[in-house]
Amino acid sequence: MTTHADPVPGGRPGEVERAGALAAELAGQGVHGVVLAYVDTAGITRVKTVPVARLPDAVAWGVGMSPVFDTFLSDDSVVTTDVLGSPDGDLRLYPDLDRLVALAAQPGWAWAPVDRITQDGERHPGCGRTVLRRITAHARQRHGITFKAAVEIEWVLGRGTAPRGVFEPAVSGPAYGAVRQVEVSDYGADLLAALAAQAVEVEQFHPEYAAGQFEVSVGALDPVAAADRSVLVRQTVRAVAQRHGLRVSFAPAVLAQGVGNGGHVHLSAWRDGSNLHAGGSGRYGMTAEAESFAAGLLARLPALTAVTAPSPAGYLRLRPSQWAGVFTAWGRETRECALRVVTGTLGVRERASNLEVKPVDLAANPYLTLGALIAAGLDGIATRAPLPEETTGDPARLDAATAAARGVRRLPVSLAEAVEAFRRDTLLRDALGPVLADAVTAVRRGEIAAADGLDDEQVAAAYRWRY
Ligand code: GLU
Ligand code: MG
């Protein structure tokens, strides 16, 4: 469960006392510092830390940080919008105690995601976590719908001894191979132990397709908590790797060619405790609302890509036949359509049925991603959008007439194309709010300019160790 209210200066009722008790408990467990984390528009997790004894003060009054990070690029240079990117001003970071956890792979540290509010106690329009909370509250109040979400995490493990900038896969065994699992036996066990200690329910951990690649999938939570969890899992993957002398990359394309790192999103809509993706009279048990939710997503995927694949490197990953789902098509258990209908096996469908969105990578800010996906799907529900016919097999092989009849389009082939689609999409811009929407556009354009003139190898190299 996540707190569903914005922070208030002075602390919400009872929160400061609760922070005091938690701080004492953490100190008793040997925790010295608390990492306060948020994700910026470019998808970089930024942090401040406080000594554990300062936790009550942080809960009451926040911790200062400049709003300039809203328009930071992934290389730490800064762009500006009409309202963001100025060297002036300050914000307060408020930790969410409901998500506070001692970091098992970083002894001495605890971690909490933060909301950012102004010094005057107002919502900060650039805070993705606040925006996602607002979008989910709107869905609940206006449509009576709640969501469950999970982000799959893929990464590659490189040898820590490789020369700076170079990726040398830490394992040599084949995709999904037992050899690879044995090669990282201690690392994998330590990772599972750390995630379990942090109350992250892992569903699977496996060697993936690309060189040195692994994946972990985790249980679904409400969207804000799911986004928090995706940040925490990555912090943990990285920390365990560090202890084993390994280097981690979550970059969308670690190498210029071949399968990249995805961050597929699983999403399900619920009303009154019932899963809208199961037990309905639509295809594969979807209710009419679940079909329209999928249709709403499909219609906006080209514009959504500016949020879900925010880095030039993302477009090296988003290529046909790399399991990244680059066509606006859907199918049951498909590996190549952008939307995969997951029904689960007979017996668990009411609990497990969901929609998987594939063209998402881990450069994406998970709060903005979930907010934008939910806004698009809700618009599908509100307009009763009809879901086109299912696509089976590789959509790359569809003939032009069939593709046109089903509205199957290739997703943007570049970040520039995606950002143009986003700029024209009033619904998505309104969902994020004008300040954040402008930041998304400005930051994407900044990344495009920063990668201008680079060939594919150079783009992959430039972003390889940033995420
Ligand atoms: N690595 C693939 C991607 O970039 C996904 C592989 C899978 O289906 O798990 O999205
Ligand atoms: Mg995978």
Side-chain angles (χ1 to χ4, degrees):
M1 204 41 199
T2 317
T3 309
H4 285 295
D6 292 339
V8 284
R12 299 184 198 97
E15 285 272 275
V16 178
E17 296 71 19
R18 188 176 161 213
L22 275 170
E25 193 185 315
L26 288 169
Q29 294 166 15
V31 169
H32 302 293
V34 185
V35 180
L36 307 178
Y38 68 93
V39 185
D40 72 12
T41 319
I44 302 295
T45 301
R46 309 273 176 191
V47 301
K48 282 253 177 120
T49 79
V50 290
V52 71
R54 295 281 298 177
L55 185 63
D57 193 70
V59 163
W61 305 112
V63 172
M65 194 147 184
S66 165
V68 76
F69 297 99
D70 291 324
T71 49
F72 256 48
L73 302 186
S74 63
D75 68 358
D76 293 346
S77 55
V78 194
V79 295
T80 54
T81 68
D82 289 346
V83 288
L84 292 172
S86 151
D88 305 331
D90 206 23
L91 292 170
R92 308 303 295 175
L93 311 181
Y94 277 76
D96 186 340
L97 290 183
D98 288 344
R99 310 297 308 165
L100 180 89
V101 63
L103 291 173
Q106 291 180 257
W109 290 99
W111 176 96
V114 298
D115 289 308
R116 294 178 297 152
I117 66 173
T118 69
Q119 288 176 317
D120 300 321
E122 305 289 331
R123 283 177 178 175
H124 170 52
C127 177
R129 194 170 190 268
T130 305
V131 165
L132 175 57
R133 194 167 50 249
R134 199 187 64 218
I135 290 172
T136 54
H138 170 84
R140 204 170 49 242
Q141 286 150 15
R142 174 83 190 279
H143 301 273
I145 293 179
T146 57
F147 291 92
K148 286 189 187 172
V151 181
E152 291 180 5
I153 308 284
E154 294 185 333
W155 71 97
V156 301
L157 277 181
R159 288 203 183 98
T161 49
R164 197 179 146 78
V166 174
F167 167 57
E168 284 176 6
V171 290
S172 54
Y176 295 89
V179 170
R180 218 188 265 191
Q181 191 276 329
V182 175
E183 286 178 290
V184 293
S185 191
D186 291 345
Y187 169 78
D190 285 355
L191 178 60
L192 290 178
L195 291 170
Q198 294 168 188
V200 174
E201 318 144 55
V202 171
E203 293 189 343
Q204 291 180 34
F205 165 59
H206 64 270
E208 252 289 346
Y209 189 88
Q213 196 178 36
F214 292 86
E215 172 177 333
V216 70
S217 49
V218 298
L221 297 170
D222 76 77
V224 174
D228 294 339
R229 181 174 263 187
S230 119
V231 179
L232 173 64
V233 169
R234 280 178 268 171
Q235 174 99 10
T236 310
V237 165
R238 207 181 277 294
V240 178
Q242 178 101 1
R243 296 172 80 78
H244 284 262
L246 299 166
R247 212 174 276 178
V248 168
S249 173
F250 297 106
V254 179
L255 302 171
Q257 299 296 326
V259 172
N261 285 323
H264 302 183
V265 168
H266 290 264
L267 202 51
S268 54
W270 297 68
R271 175 178 283 113
D272 301 330
S274 285
N275 186 346
L276 297 179
H277 303 263
S281 54
R283 283 158 281 181
Y284 304 118
M286 284 186 276
T287 62
E289 286 184 307
E291 287 208 356
S292 288
F293 187 79
L297 280 175
L298 277 182
R300 291 185 193 278
L301 273 178
L304 283 164
T305 312
V307 178
T308 65
S311 144
Y315 297 80
L316 302 175
R317 165 181 173 257
L318 287 178
R319 287 172 170 160
S321 312
Q322 294 192 166
W323 297 355
V326 299
F327 292 93
T328 60
W330 72 277
R332 184 188 186 202
E333 301 298 0
T334 172
R335 291 284 181 289
E336 286 298 341
C337 295
L339 294 189
R340 167 186 172 206
V341 167
V342 181
T343 57
T345 53
L346 209 56
V348 297
R349 289 190 177 155
E350 167 59 25
R351 171 167 58 84
S353 295
N354 69 82
L355 202 53
E356 180 184 39
V357 187
K358 288 179 179 284
V360 184
D361 63 45
L362 296 173
N365 176 316
Y367 303 95
L368 302 189
T369 292
L370 286 168
L373 293 176
I374 288 170
L378 283 179
D379 184 60
I381 291 181
T383 58
R384 296 175 197 271
L387 184 64
E389 200 181 315
E390 176 183 16
T391 294
T392 53
D394 193 339
R397 302 211 184 98
L398 283 184
D399 63 76
T402 312
R406 291 184 199 162
V408 175
R409 289 170 290 162
R410 171 78 165 86
L411 286 180
V413 297
S414 67
L415 184 54
E417 202 186 304
V419 81
E420 274 319 297
F422 174 78
R423 234 175 37 79
R424 291 192 302 269
D425 196 311
T426 316
L427 180 114
L428 290 183
R429 293 182 56 84
D430 287 350
L432 298 186
V435 172
L436 202 42
D438 281 354
V440 166
T441 303
V443 167
R444 304 302 176 258
R445 286 182 172 161
E447 298 286 357
I448 293 164
D452 189 38
L454 302 185
D455 65 24
D456 289 358
E457 302 292 340
Q458 290 166 324
V459 168
Y463 289 90
R464 183 171 296 145
W465 303 110
R466 277 189 204 164
Y467 306 107

PDB file of all heavy atoms in Angstrom, residues 47-76:
ATOM      1  N   VAL A  47      19.563  11.285  -6.156  1.00  0.00           N
ATOM      2  CA  VAL A  47      19.390  11.047  -4.720  1.00  0.00           C
ATOM      3  C   VAL A  47      20.012  12.150  -3.877  1.00  0.00           C
ATOM      4  O   VAL A  47      20.921  12.855  -4.312  1.00  0.00           O
ATOM      5  CB  VAL A  47      20.034   9.703  -4.276  1.00  0.00           C
ATOM      6  CG1 VAL A  47      19.426   8.539  -5.024  1.00  0.00           C
ATOM      7  CG2 VAL A  47      21.537   9.712  -4.438  1.00  0.00           C
ATOM      8  N   LYS A  48      19.497  12.271  -2.667  1.00  0.00           N
ATOM      9  CA  LYS A  48      20.192  12.912  -1.561  1.00  0.00           C
ATOM     10  C   LYS A  48      20.160  11.867  -0.459  1.00  0.00           C
ATOM     11  O   LYS A  48      19.301  10.975  -0.464  1.00  0.00           O
ATOM     12  CB  LYS A  48      19.445  14.164  -1.107  1.00  0.00           C
ATOM     13  CG  LYS A  48      19.656  15.363  -1.998  1.00  0.00           C
ATOM     14  CD  LYS A  48      20.553  16.387  -1.322  1.00  0.00           C
ATOM     15  CE  LYS A  48      20.858  17.576  -2.193  1.00  0.00           C
ATOM     16  NZ  LYS A  48      20.397  18.854  -1.584  1.00  0.00           N
ATOM     17  N   THR A  49      21.041  11.998   0.516  1.00  0.00           N
ATOM     18  CA  THR A  49      20.945  11.099   1.659  1.00  0.00           C
ATOM     19  C   THR A  49      20.963  11.925   2.940  1.00  0.00           C
ATOM     20  O   THR A  49      21.496  13.036   2.961  1.00  0.00           O
ATOM     21  CB  THR A  49      22.084  10.047   1.716  1.00  0.00           C
ATOM     22  OG1 THR A  49      23.264  10.654   2.240  1.00  0.00           O
ATOM     23  CG2 THR A  49      22.359   9.431   0.356  1.00  0.00           C
ATOM     24  N   VAL A  50      20.354  11.368   3.980  1.00  0.00           N
ATOM     25  CA  VAL A  50      20.399  12.017   5.297  1.00  0.00           C
ATOM     26  C   VAL A  50      20.806  10.975   6.342  1.00  0.00           C
ATOM     27  O   VAL A  50      20.514   9.782   6.169  1.00  0.00           O
ATOM     28  CB  VAL A  50      19.025  12.614   5.710  1.00  0.00           C
ATOM     29  CG1 VAL A  50      18.675  13.825   4.862  1.00  0.00           C
ATOM     30  CG2 VAL A  50      17.911  11.575   5.670  1.00  0.00           C
ATOM     31  N   PRO A  51      21.484  11.411   7.404  1.00  0.00           N
ATOM     32  CA  PRO A  51      21.740  10.470   8.499  1.00  0.00           C
ATOM     33  C   PRO A  51      20.402   9.982   9.048  1.00  0.00           C
ATOM     34  O   PRO A  51      19.410  10.721   9.022  1.00  0.00           O
ATOM     35  CB  PRO A  51      22.468  11.320   9.548  1.00  0.00           C
ATOM     36  CG  PRO A  51      22.906  12.558   8.841  1.00  0.00           C
ATOM     37  CD  PRO A  51      21.979  12.764   7.695  1.00  0.00           C
ATOM     38  N   VAL A  52      20.372   8.767   9.524  1.00  0.00           N
ATOM     39  CA  VAL A  52      19.098   8.171   9.927  1.00  0.00           C
ATOM     40  C   VAL A  52      18.382   9.014  10.995  1.00  0.00           C
ATOM     41  O   VAL A  52      17.153   9.113  10.992  1.00  0.00           O
ATOM     42  CB  VAL A  52      19.301   6.691  10.351  1.00  0.00           C
ATOM     43  CG1 VAL A  52      20.040   6.579  11.676  1.00  0.00           C
ATOM     44  CG2 VAL A  52      17.994   5.940  10.367  1.00  0.00           C
ATOM     45  N   ALA A  53      19.148   9.686  11.852  1.00  0.00           N
ATOM     46  CA  ALA A  53      18.532  10.497  12.913  1.00  0.00           C
ATOM     47  C   ALA A  53      17.761  11.700  12.342  1.00  0.00           C
ATOM     48  O   ALA A  53      16.920  12.287  13.024  1.00  0.00           O
ATOM     49  CB  ALA A  53      19.604  10.983  13.892  1.00  0.00           C
ATOM     50  N   ARG A  54      18.063  12.075  11.095  1.00  0.00           N
ATOM     51  CA  ARG A  54      17.374  13.209  10.481  1.00  0.00           C
ATOM     52  C   ARG A  54      16.050  12.813   9.830  1.00  0.00           C
ATOM     53  O   ARG A  54      15.345  13.664   9.273  1.00  0.00           O
ATOM     54  CB  ARG A  54      18.252  13.849   9.384  1.00  0.00           C
ATOM     55  CG  ARG A  54      19.521  14.481   9.875  1.00  0.00           C
ATOM     56  CD  ARG A  54      19.313  15.859  10.478  1.00  0.00           C
ATOM     57  NE  ARG A  54      18.790  16.854   9.556  1.00  0.00           N
ATOM     58  CZ  ARG A  54      18.481  18.092   9.894  1.00  0.00           C
ATOM     59  NH1 ARG A  54      18.632  18.473  11.170  1.00  0.00           N
ATOM     60  NH2 ARG A  54      18.029  18.946   9.016  1.00  0.00           N
ATOM     61  N   LEU A  55      15.715  11.526   9.876  1.00  0.00           N
ATOM     62  CA  LEU A  55      14.502  11.083   9.176  1.00  0.00           C
ATOM     63  C   LEU A  55      13.243  11.832   9.639  1.00  0.00           C
ATOM     64  O   LEU A  55      12.458  12.295   8.796  1.00  0.00           O
ATOM     65  CB  LEU A  55      14.341   9.556   9.313  1.00  0.00           C
ATOM     66  CG  LEU A  55      13.186   8.938   8.523  1.00  0.00           C
ATOM     67  CD1 LEU A  55      13.366   9.132   7.014  1.00  0.00           C
ATOM     68  CD2 LEU A  55      13.062   7.437   8.836  1.00  0.00           C
ATOM     69  N   PRO A  56      13.009  11.986  10.958  1.00  0.00           N
ATOM     70  CA  PRO A  56      11.798  12.725  11.371  1.00  0.00           C
ATOM     71  C   PRO A  56      11.776  14.148  10.807  1.00  0.00           C
ATOM     72  O   PRO A  56      10.726  14.632  10.368  1.00  0.00           O
ATOM     73  CB  PRO A  56      11.894  12.732  12.903  1.00  0.00           C
ATOM     74  CG  PRO A  56      12.766  11.556  13.241  1.00  0.00           C
ATOM     75  CD  PRO A  56      13.753  11.455  12.120  1.00  0.00           C
ATOM     76  N   ASP A  57      12.941  14.791  10.788  1.00  0.00           N
ATOM     77  CA  ASP A  57      13.006  16.151  10.255  1.00  0.00           C
ATOM     78  C   ASP A  57      12.684  16.155   8.750  1.00  0.00           C
ATOM     79  O   ASP A  57      11.969  17.034   8.254  1.00  0.00           O
ATOM     80  CB  ASP A  57      14.416  16.709  10.487  1.00  0.00           C
ATOM     81  CG  ASP A  57      14.465  18.195  10.249  1.00  0.00           C
ATOM     82  OD1 ASP A  57      13.893  18.932  11.061  1.00  0.00           O
ATOM     83  OD2 ASP A  57      15.035  18.618   9.221  1.00  0.00           O
ATOM     84  N   ALA A  58      13.194  15.148   8.034  1.00  0.00           N
ATOM     85  CA  ALA A  58      12.923  15.059   6.592  1.00  0.00           C
ATOM     86  C   ALA A  58      11.430  14.842   6.337  1.00  0.00           C
ATOM     87  O   ALA A  58      10.861  15.386   5.391  1.00  0.00           O
ATOM     88  CB  ALA A  58      13.734  13.921   5.974  1.00  0.00           C
ATOM     89  N   VAL A  59      10.799  14.035   7.191  1.00  0.00           N
ATOM     90  CA  VAL A  59       9.365  13.777   7.032  1.00  0.00           C
ATOM     91  C   VAL A  59       8.547  15.035   7.344  1.00  0.00           C
ATOM     92  O   VAL A  59       7.514  15.299   6.728  1.00  0.00           O
ATOM     93  CB  VAL A  59       8.945  12.587   7.933  1.00  0.00           C
ATOM     94  CG1 VAL A  59       7.446  12.528   8.139  1.00  0.00           C
ATOM     95  CG2 VAL A  59       9.450  11.284   7.315  1.00  0.00           C
ATOM     96  N   ALA A  60       9.047  15.838   8.285  1.00  0.00           N
ATOM     97  CA  ALA A  60       8.320  17.059   8.647  1.00  0.00           C
ATOM     98  C   ALA A  60       8.553  18.174   7.639  1.00  0.00           C
ATOM     99  O   ALA A  60       7.600  18.840   7.202  1.00  0.00           O
ATOM    100  CB  ALA A  60       8.742  17.517  10.043  1.00  0.00           C
ATOM    101  N   TRP A  61       9.803  18.372   7.241  1.00  0.00           N
ATOM    102  CA  TRP A  61      10.114  19.581   6.471  1.00  0.00           C
ATOM    103  C   TRP A  61      10.785  19.310   5.130  1.00  0.00           C
ATOM    104  O   TRP A  61      11.100  20.245   4.398  1.00  0.00           O
ATOM    105  CB  TRP A  61      11.000  20.517   7.325  1.00  0.00           C
ATOM    106  CG  TRP A  61      10.344  20.820   8.640  1.00  0.00           C
ATOM    107  CD1 TRP A  61      10.767  20.417   9.870  1.00  0.00           C
ATOM    108  CD2 TRP A  61       9.116  21.532   8.848  1.00  0.00           C
ATOM    109  NE1 TRP A  61       9.888  20.833  10.839  1.00  0.00           N
ATOM    110  CE2 TRP A  61       8.868  21.531  10.242  1.00  0.00           C
ATOM    111  CE3 TRP A  61       8.199  22.179   7.998  1.00  0.00           C
ATOM    112  CZ2 TRP A  61       7.733  22.130  10.807  1.00  0.00           C
ATOM    113  CZ3 TRP A  61       7.087  22.788   8.565  1.00  0.00           C
ATOM    114  CH2 TRP A  61       6.868  22.759   9.948  1.00  0.00           C
ATOM    115  N   GLY A  62      11.000  18.059   4.802  1.00  0.00           N
ATOM    116  CA  GLY A  62      11.629  17.735   3.524  1.00  0.00           C
ATOM    117  C   GLY A  62      13.120  18.045   3.541  1.00  0.00           C
ATOM    118  O   GLY A  62      13.668  18.558   4.507  1.00  0.00           O
ATOM    119  N   VAL A  63      13.757  17.676   2.441  1.00  0.00           N
ATOM    120  CA  VAL A  63      15.193  17.895   2.262  1.00  0.00           C
ATOM    121  C   VAL A  63      15.345  18.692   0.974  1.00  0.00           C
ATOM    122  O   VAL A  63      14.695  18.379  -0.029  1.00  0.00           O
ATOM    123  CB  VAL A  63      15.923  16.534   2.159  1.00  0.00           C
ATOM    124  CG1 VAL A  63      17.377  16.704   1.777  1.00  0.00           C
ATOM    125  CG2 VAL A  63      15.785  15.764   3.466  1.00  0.00           C
ATOM    126  N   GLY A  64      16.201  19.695   0.971  1.00  0.00           N
ATOM    127  CA  GLY A  64      16.284  20.592  -0.189  1.00  0.00           C
ATOM    128  C   GLY A  64      16.922  19.952  -1.408  1.00  0.00           C
ATOM    129  O   GLY A  64      17.849  19.158  -1.305  1.00  0.00           O
ATOM    130  N   MET A  65      16.399  20.287  -2.568  1.00  0.00           N
ATOM    131  CA  MET A  65      17.044  19.909  -3.837  1.00  0.00           C
ATOM    132  C   MET A  65      16.524  20.832  -4.923  1.00  0.00           C
ATOM    133  O   MET A  65      15.344  21.172  -4.944  1.00  0.00           O
ATOM    134  CB  MET A  65      16.761  18.447  -4.187  1.00  0.00           C
ATOM    135  CG  MET A  65      17.661  17.921  -5.291  1.00  0.00           C
ATOM    136  SD  MET A  65      18.019  16.163  -5.036  1.00  0.00           S
ATOM    137  CE  MET A  65      19.159  15.826  -6.366  1.00  0.00           C
ATOM    138  N   SER A  66      17.400  21.190  -5.828  1.00  0.00           N
ATOM    139  CA  SER A  66      17.039  22.133  -6.893  1.00  0.00           C
ATOM    140  C   SER A  66      16.046  21.505  -7.878  1.00  0.00           C
ATOM    141  O   SER A  66      16.166  20.323  -8.206  1.00  0.00           O
ATOM    142  CB  SER A  66      18.304  22.532  -7.646  1.00  0.00           C
ATOM    143  OG  SER A  66      17.968  23.141  -8.861  1.00  0.00           O
ATOM    144  N   PRO A  67      15.124  22.307  -8.419  1.00  0.00           N
ATOM    145  CA  PRO A  67      14.232  21.796  -9.464  1.00  0.00           C
ATOM    146  C   PRO A  67      14.933  21.681 -10.820  1.00  0.00           C
ATOM    147  O   PRO A  67      14.341  21.193 -11.779  1.00  0.00           O
ATOM    148  CB  PRO A  67      13.116  22.856  -9.527  1.00  0.00           C
ATOM    149  CG  PRO A  67      13.699  24.086  -8.943  1.00  0.00           C
ATOM    150  CD  PRO A  67      14.796  23.672  -8.007  1.00  0.00           C
ATOM    151  N   VAL A  68      16.196  22.084 -10.877  1.00  0.00           N
ATOM    152  CA  VAL A  68      16.894  22.101 -12.166  1.00  0.00           C
ATOM    153  C   VAL A  68      17.011  20.698 -12.768  1.00  0.00           C
ATOM    154  O   VAL A  68      17.116  20.533 -13.979  1.00  0.00           O
ATOM    155  CB  VAL A  68      18.287  22.783 -12.008  1.00  0.00           C
ATOM    156  CG1 VAL A  68      19.284  21.857 -11.338  1.00  0.00           C
ATOM    157  CG2 VAL A  68      18.802  23.267 -13.338  1.00  0.00           C
ATOM    158  N   PHE A  69      16.942  19.669 -11.900  1.00  0.00           N
ATOM    159  CA  PHE A  69      17.097  18.291 -12.404  1.00  0.00           C
ATOM    160  C   PHE A  69      15.943  17.860 -13.311  1.00  0.00           C
ATOM    161  O   PHE A  69      16.070  16.903 -14.060  1.00  0.00           O
ATOM    162  CB  PHE A  69      17.272  17.313 -11.232  1.00  0.00           C
ATOM    163  CG  PHE A  69      18.521  17.590 -10.462  1.00  0.00           C
ATOM    164  CD1 PHE A  69      18.490  18.306  -9.282  1.00  0.00           C
ATOM    165  CD2 PHE A  69      19.753  17.202 -10.966  1.00  0.00           C
ATOM    166  CE1 PHE A  69      19.649  18.608  -8.595  1.00  0.00           C
ATOM    167  CE2 PHE A  69      20.921  17.496 -10.287  1.00  0.00           C
ATOM    168  CZ  PHE A  69      20.874  18.210  -9.093  1.00  0.00           C
ATOM    169  N   ASP A  70      14.825  18.564 -13.242  1.00  0.00           N
ATOM    170  CA  ASP A  70      13.708  18.236 -14.143  1.00  0.00           C
ATOM    171  C   ASP A  70      14.095  18.392 -15.610  1.00  0.00           C
ATOM    172  O   ASP A  70      13.471  17.797 -16.477  1.00  0.00           O
ATOM    173  CB  ASP A  70      12.506  19.146 -13.855  1.00  0.00           C
ATOM    174  CG  ASP A  70      11.869  18.847 -12.516  1.00  0.00           C
ATOM    175  OD1 ASP A  70      11.827  17.659 -12.143  1.00  0.00           O
ATOM    176  OD2 ASP A  70      11.435  19.795 -11.842  1.00  0.00           O
ATOM    177  N   THR A  71      15.091  19.236 -15.863  1.00  0.00           N
ATOM    178  CA  THR A  71      15.517  19.412 -17.267  1.00  0.00           C
ATOM    179  C   THR A  71      16.988  19.035 -17.437  1.00  0.00           C
ATOM    180  O   THR A  71      17.649  19.527 -18.343  1.00  0.00           O
ATOM    181  CB  THR A  71      15.247  20.857 -17.757  1.00  0.00           C
ATOM    182  OG1 THR A  71      15.767  21.764 -16.798  1.00  0.00           O
ATOM    183  CG2 THR A  71      13.760  21.098 -17.959  1.00  0.00           C
ATOM    184  N   PHE A  72      17.502  18.195 -16.565  1.00  0.00           N
ATOM    185  CA  PHE A  72      18.820  17.596 -16.783  1.00  0.00           C
ATOM    186  C   PHE A  72      18.708  16.551 -17.890  1.00  0.00           C
ATOM    187  O   PHE A  72      17.699  15.852 -18.006  1.00  0.00           O
ATOM    188  CB  PHE A  72      19.279  16.879 -15.503  1.00  0.00           C
ATOM    189  CG  PHE A  72      20.323  17.631 -14.726  1.00  0.00           C
ATOM    190  CD1 PHE A  72      20.162  18.973 -14.447  1.00  0.00           C
ATOM    191  CD2 PHE A  72      21.463  16.982 -14.251  1.00  0.00           C
ATOM    192  CE1 PHE A  72      21.117  19.662 -13.709  1.00  0.00           C
ATOM    193  CE2 PHE A  72      22.420  17.652 -13.512  1.00  0.00           C
ATOM    194  CZ  PHE A  72      22.261  18.999 -13.247  1.00  0.00           C
ATOM    195  N   LEU A  73      19.770  16.435 -18.679  1.00  0.00           N
ATOM    196  CA  LEU A  73      19.861  15.310 -19.619  1.00  0.00           C
ATOM    197  C   LEU A  73      20.588  14.161 -18.915  1.00  0.00           C
ATOM    198  O   LEU A  73      21.159  14.340 -17.839  1.00  0.00           O
ATOM    199  CB  LEU A  73      20.640  15.724 -20.868  1.00  0.00           C
ATOM    200  CG  LEU A  73      20.098  16.918 -21.658  1.00  0.00           C
ATOM    201  CD1 LEU A  73      20.914  17.099 -22.939  1.00  0.00           C
ATOM    202  CD2 LEU A  73      18.625  16.750 -21.980  1.00  0.00           C
ATOM    203  N   SER A  74      20.593  13.012 -19.586  1.00  0.00           N
ATOM    204  CA  SER A  74      21.228  11.854 -18.954  1.00  0.00           C
ATOM    205  C   SER A  74      22.742  12.042 -18.818  1.00  0.00           C
ATOM    206  O   SER A  74      23.381  11.331 -18.054  1.00  0.00           O
ATOM    207  CB  SER A  74      20.903  10.580 -19.726  1.00  0.00           C
ATOM    208  OG  SER A  74      21.426  10.666 -21.021  1.00  0.00           O
ATOM    209  N   ASP A  75      23.337  13.016 -19.554  1.00  0.00           N
ATOM    210  CA  ASP A  75      24.778  13.265 -19.387  1.00  0.00           C
ATOM    211  C   ASP A  75      25.049  14.419 -18.427  1.00  0.00           C
ATOM    212  O   ASP A  75      26.160  14.956 -18.394  1.00  0.00           O
ATOM    213  CB  ASP A  75      25.452  13.518 -20.738  1.00  0.00           C
ATOM    214  CG  ASP A  75      25.011  14.843 -21.366  1.00  0.00           C
ATOM    215  OD1 ASP A  75      24.155  15.556 -20.779  1.00  0.00           O
ATOM    216  OD2 ASP A  75      25.527  15.183 -22.444  1.00  0.00           O
ATOM    217  N   ASP A  76      24.025  14.817 -17.688  1.00  0.00           N
ATOM    218  CA  ASP A  76      24.121  15.868 -16.659  1.00  0.00           C
ATOM    219  C   ASP A  76      24.229  17.283 -17.225  1.00  0.00           C
ATOM    220  O   ASP A  76      24.470  18.221 -16.464  1.00  0.00           O
ATOM    221  CB  ASP A  76      25.287  15.635 -15.673  1.00  0.00           C
ATOM    222  CG  ASP A  76      25.072  14.414 -14.808  1.00  0.00           C
ATOM    223  OD1 ASP A  76      23.933  13.901 -14.774  1.00  0.00           O
ATOM    224  OD2 ASP A  76      26.042  13.960 -14.168  1.00  0.00           O
TER     225      ASP A  76
END
